[in-house]
Amino acid sequence: MKQFFYLNLVPQIDGYREVHTSDCRFFPTQHNRIPLGEYFSCREAVAAAKNKYLKSDGCYYCCRECHTR
Ligand SMILES: [Zn+2]
């Protein structure tokens, strides 16, 4: 099943922006996020995010398998 992913525009301390699903408890506020689209996996969503911001990573809580930092 596809899920909708968003990118938090506010970088972490290390400069990386995190990808989230809409049900994440750390879902960014409306002004701090952009939609990435629907994907079957967070890997595709992170790849899409990297087209915009090379320093992108999956959220530890909602995209743990894509959390690499
Ligand atoms: Zn998250």
Side-chain angles (χ1 to χ4, degrees):
M1 196 184 84
K2 280 190 174 182
Q3 273 190 295
F4 210 98
F5 292 86
Y6 292 83
L7 181 65
N8 187 346
L9 292 175
V10 181
Q12 306 286 102
I13 291 170
D14 62 7
Y16 276 72
R17 292 171 172 82
E18 294 202 310
V19 172
H20 295 273
T21 57
S22 55
D23 58 354
C24 180
R25 57 195 261 224
F26 294 105
F27 192 59
T29 62
Q30 191 176 0
H31 297 295
N32 291 339
R33 68 178 188 243
I34 55 167
L36 291 169
E38 279 188 302
Y39 300 99
F40 284 110
S41 76
C42 59
R43 290 177 202 288
E44 293 172 79
V46 170
K50 284 184 174 176
N51 286 333
K52 302 179 194 298
Y53 298 101
L54 197 56
K55 288 183 166 185
S56 297
D57 192 34
C59 165
Y60 176 79
Y61 294 93
C62 66
C63 301
R64 188 165 299 190
E65 63 179 290
C66 298
H67 179 77
T68 59
R69 306 183 54 82

